[in-house]
Amino acid sequence: MEPALKTHPPADRQAVALKAYGRIARVWGLTQQEAAGLADMSESTWKRARKDGFAGSLTRDQMLRLSALVGIYKSLELYFNPPIATEWVKLANDGPEFDGARPVDVMISGGLPKILRVRTYLDALRGGM
């Protein structure tokens, strides 16, 4: 008999995603409002979610957002040298996805579809497409 595959409970995946995103938000210098907006949470929920032992549950949309934001962070680290890699999300951008706005603002207002488009855009820049 083959051993059963070990799966991680959703709470474990959520805790890892929140921890990773919390670090990214710090590195990017996001305000509480920006970090919460990208994660599609209220500021009070974001404050609770950052702490170990968060008892709440993330939606599928929120998990996809966090996953995509980790991918964006990784792409920026691979494509740009410091300090641009960490400042990029807060710099005005004339690229086709941004029309002179800051990527963080565009992603907050555009929600998950825009976050995914930004991830695809960055992957294409670094030759991943």
Side-chain angles (χ1 to χ4, degrees):
M1 176 180 257
E2 291 184 35
L5 292 176
K6 204 173 198 182
T7 60
H8 297 283
D12 287 351
R13 287 193 303 266
Q14 289 182 32
V16 169
L18 285 167
K19 187 173 185 177
Y21 178 61
R23 287 180 180 164
I24 291 167
R26 235 180 356 266
V27 168
W28 284 348
L30 300 179
T31 65
Q32 294 289 331
Q33 184 178 15
E34 290 166 339
L38 283 173
D40 194 29
M41 297 178 184
S42 68
E43 286 184 61
S44 61
T45 299
W46 170 240
K47 287 178 187 176
R48 286 192 313 273
R50 293 181 326 170
K51 297 179 180 162
D52 289 336
F54 175 62
S57 180
L58 299 179
T59 65
R60 183 173 182 268
D61 179 90
Q62 289 169 322
M63 286 295 290
L64 286 170
R65 284 169 178 258
L66 299 185
S67 175
L69 291 164
V70 168
I72 288 169
Y73 173 81
K74 184 176 178 180
S75 288
L76 290 170
E77 290 294 313
L78 291 170
Y79 190 70
F80 295 110
N81 291 322
I84 299 299
T86 56
E87 295 173 358
W88 185 88
V89 296
K90 294 187 103 178
L91 298 173
N93 192 315
D94 288 326
E97 292 292 329
F98 311 105
D99 295 325
R102 300 181 323 153
V104 66
D105 297 326
V106 170
M107 291 188 290
I108 290 169
S109 66
L112 180 58
K114 187 55 118 177
I115 292 169
L116 293 173
R117 286 181 60 165
V118 170
R119 181 168 182 192
T120 301
Y121 171 78
L122 289 169
D123 287 344
L125 282 180
R126 66 179 187 86
M129 294 296 287

